[in-house]
Amino acid sequence: MSEQDGRAARDREAARWYDDDAGPVVRPYAMTRGRTRTAAEGRLDLIALVIAESRADEAACDRMLSPEHVEIVERCRQEPLSVAELAAGLDLPVGVVRVLIGDLLDADLVHVSRPVPPAELPDEKVLREVIDGLRAL
């Protein structure tokens, strides 16, 4: 192979925007349009559950949504999933998934249910006193 042919082969290889096994490669910042945060950031911790709304059927027809948005809605229609489960299932960084979920929240296609922090749960002693009081009635 001549030097010119070798250089042309290297140039073609460098110009490839896809991986034969993975398909087209899209950078995370392209999926989020460069955004790294969402207004719902505080509500989207790793264990927050994402639940599809009843109008989520419209997601597949919405041309403003990316394939990743539609995939999140479809997965959450089957069952509520946590942010961490969605990130793992989609093989995307958690930050990207949070931004995508924020978009879906803004479009009213999903809602988020946050677990109650242990500090906000009633004390077991208080619950036992309530039960004892109800039994006394």
Side-chain angles (χ1 to χ4, degrees):
M1 183 184 313
S2 72
E3 182 180 335
Q4 193 172 27
D5 290 338
R7 190 175 318 128
R10 283 191 303 274
D11 290 344
R12 279 193 306 273
E13 187 65 31
R16 292 177 71 167
W17 284 83
Y18 63 93
D19 179 304
D20 290 333
D21 295 330
V25 175
V26 177
R27 302 299 249 172
Y29 63 82
M31 283 183 230
T32 62
R33 296 182 216 121
R35 296 169 296 147
T36 59
R37 297 191 180 271
T38 178
E41 188 88 15
R43 298 180 356 198
L44 296 174
D45 55 6
L46 291 176
I47 58 174
L49 291 178
V50 181
I51 304 158
E53 294 288 353
S54 58
R55 65 179 286 266
D57 297 340
E58 303 168 17
C61 301
D62 191 340
R63 295 183 188 263
M64 297 300 291
L65 298 177
S66 71
E68 292 80 15
H69 286 110
V70 174
E71 181 69 20
I72 290 170
V73 172
E74 290 298 320
R75 287 174 183 251
C76 293
R77 281 180 56 199
Q78 296 169 8
E79 65 179 320
L81 294 171
S82 70
V83 173
E85 289 171 317
L86 285 167
L90 295 169
D91 196 25
L92 292 173
V94 173
V96 170
V97 172
R98 283 182 175 148
V99 171
L100 296 175
I101 293 170
D103 295 342
L104 294 171
L105 283 166
D106 292 343
D108 292 324
L109 293 172
V110 299
H111 69 273
V112 175
S113 173
R114 292 182 60 201
V116 179
E120 292 180 18
L121 291 173
D123 185 26
E124 185 179 337
K125 180 181 175 187
V126 172
L127 291 175
R128 290 196 184 281
E129 289 175 6
V130 169
I131 291 171
D132 290 342
L134 289 172
R135 285 185 182 150
L137 293 176

